[in-house]
Amino acid sequence: MEKAKVYFTDLHTSTKLPLVKKMTAVAEAAGIGSIDFKDKFTAIKMHFGEPGNLAFLRPNYAAGMADLIRSYGGKPFLTDSNTLYSGGRSNAVDHLASAMENGFNRI
């Protein structure tokens, strides 16, 4: 079996290379440009986070990936899954409110 390729970047940043740019650079190196996104809806699976929780990727990372997909002609959108346990993501309405509370919005 062929060994899997692993792409890595550290968390060191500078004004020339912030983390969002590093994320898109890793996606480019992994070959995202070889995917045909032209006029296709493209889901970006996210975890919008529970209200009051910090264990989720911030909206600027989603925006960076969405911009990259748009640059290839795609139509990106964010998506998440409701939870089976009670909380801020157990139904669609509360889930959207939780996402907005954590900085995700239509813009």
Side-chain angles (χ1 to χ4, degrees), residues 8-82:
F8 170 82
T9 188
D10 60 38
L11 296 178
H12 293 99
T13 63
S14 69
T15 55
K16 294 180 181 179
L17 196 59
L19 285 177
V20 173
K21 291 284 187 193
K22 283 186 155 191
M23 176 193 67
T24 56
V26 168
E28 295 272 12
I32 196 169
S34 66
I35 299 171
D36 177 17
F37 288 110
K38 185 69 177 154
D39 296 324
K40 294 179 180 165
F41 291 105
T42 305
I44 301 174
K45 171 62 172 82
M46 294 290 302
H47 168 41
F48 293 136
E50 292 286 351
N53 187 332
L54 297 177
F56 62 93
L57 289 175
R58 302 302 176 267
N60 57 320
Y61 292 94
M65 191 55 67
D67 289 344
L68 181 60
I69 292 168
R70 271 191 220 95
S71 76
Y72 289 111
K75 298 178 179 185
F77 63 95
L78 304 182
T79 186
D80 195 358
S81 302
N82 289 350

